[in-house]
Amino acid sequence: MEVVILPGTKQIGKLAADAIESLLGRKPHAVLGLATGSSPLPIYDELAARHERDGLDFGQAHAFALDEYVGLEPGHPESYREVIRREFTSRVNISPENVHSPDGAAADLPAACQAYEELMHALGGVDLQILGVGTDGHIGFNEPGSSFASRTRIKSLIEQTRRDNARFFNNMAEVPHHVVTQGLGTILEARHVLLVATGAQKAQAVRDFVEGPVAAICAASVLQFHPHATVLLDEASASSLKLADFYRHTYDNKPPWQGL
């Protein structure tokens, strides 16, 4: 796991966009894994700016959303399919039919989850997965206690997650109780995982998954097993790390050929 501590969200967005631009340059038909929430927004803003300014091309790319609420009507402004369209995919030239989301409205959710896994596999798997992390250490909607071998499936949200997400709805009662999410086993199959965390409210979760034990109580800690996981932090989210100075030194002296 590589930990990179940067001054703020603008620098995080640029460095993450560098990795994605490099990937698309090597592999125009790359498969991207897209997350929602506030953490990835600087990445999406930077990628959209590069598309408009420099012609960064997504025309052959595919994208898979990390998760989706269960029970929201199609087109609901807070469905993750709609959020990803609004915040990113409508701002670049990726084909709408190449943007895939879990189906939280399916009559047969287990079958829909299996179909999602099969489509991901058929397209060669995810080349780069963007992640945020919850205050309780969840990634995707893999809440504490999630199996490290889990695949795309329906999950119940804990109340802390529902409270954290209530800011996107009119009131707490509107926040769904269930989601469909890629599993931890699914996430681990991405070739490169790029996790972003910002703000002091994420500092404990960052400390737990970066420097704590690998444990089901902190789902993100499974990334310690990933062969290519990059963690991009601002100073506030890195404030509880014991080895913060070492991470800074390592990145400042990183050989250029290593890339991100």
Side-chain angles (χ1 to χ4, degrees):
M1 181 185 291
E2 180 181 19
V3 178
V4 182
I5 302 171
L6 297 166
T9 58
K10 181 174 289 188
Q11 292 83 0
I12 288 172
K14 287 183 176 180
L15 189 60
D18 286 346
I20 295 168
E21 183 171 6
S22 176
L23 169 63
L24 291 170
R26 301 189 310 271
K27 187 177 182 180
H29 59 286
V31 177
L32 304 176
L34 304 181
T36 53
S38 57
S39 296
L41 294 181
I43 304 174
Y44 299 152
D45 287 344
E46 181 65 22
L47 290 172
R50 293 184 189 195
H51 170 69
E52 182 175 356
R53 182 185 67 238
D54 306 323
L56 179 59
D57 185 18
F58 294 84
Q60 298 181 55
H62 281 258
F64 283 84
L66 191 60
D67 39 37
E68 182 57 279
Y69 286 117
V70 172
L72 296 185
E73 65 273 13
H76 189 289
E78 296 308 325
S79 72
Y80 286 146
R81 176 188 290 271
E82 177 62 20
V83 171
I84 284 174
R85 186 204 64 77
R86 184 170 65 240
E87 300 292 353
F88 178 50
T89 60
S90 67
R91 303 167 67 191
V92 298
N93 67 322
I94 191 168
S95 299
E97 60 268 25
N98 287 359
V99 181
H100 314 283
S101 299
D103 187 355
D108 186 341
L109 281 172
C113 291
Q114 179 63 30
Y116 198 63
E117 290 271 339
E118 291 173 356
L119 178 60
M120 205 179 304
H121 184 265
L123 290 171
V126 172
D127 292 295
L128 187 149
Q129 175 66 61
I130 299 170
L131 295 176
V133 63
T135 55
D136 61 1
H138 73 255
I139 51 177
F141 274 122
N142 294 282
E143 298 283 29
S146 292
S147 166
F148 289 168
S150 56
R151 313 301 301 189
T152 301
R153 69 215 186 283
I154 187 171
K155 284 290 289 182
S156 298
L157 297 179
I158 65 171
E159 286 307 290
Q160 180 60 54
T161 300
R162 293 185 68 241
R163 285 194 293 270
D164 288 346
N165 288 0
R167 67 188 187 278
F168 299 116
F169 293 84
N170 292 323
N171 53 65
M172 181 74 172
E174 292 186 5
V175 183
H177 288 268
H178 297 93
V179 292
V180 173
T181 184
Q182 290 184 31
L184 295 175
T186 310
I187 291 168
L188 285 175
E189 290 182 352
R191 296 175 184 87
H192 184 190
V193 170
L194 200 161
L195 184 148
V196 175
T198 58
Q201 76 279 8
K202 299 294 180 68
Q204 180 174 340
V206 167
R207 180 193 63 195
D208 289 347
F209 86 79
V210 171
E211 297 180 340
V214 177
I217 194 67
C218 180
S221 67
V222 75
L223 296 179
Q224 293 183 35
F225 290 139
H226 197 282
H228 190 188
T230 305
V231 179
L232 302 182
L233 308 173
D234 66 358
E235 292 289 349
S237 63
S239 60
S240 294
L241 291 173
K242 292 183 179 179
L243 297 177
D245 288 341
F246 172 68
Y247 304 137
R248 293 187 183 95
H249 174 80
T250 300
Y251 182 69
D252 289 343
N253 293 278
K254 183 177 180 178
W257 54 265
Q258 280 190 329
L260 187 62

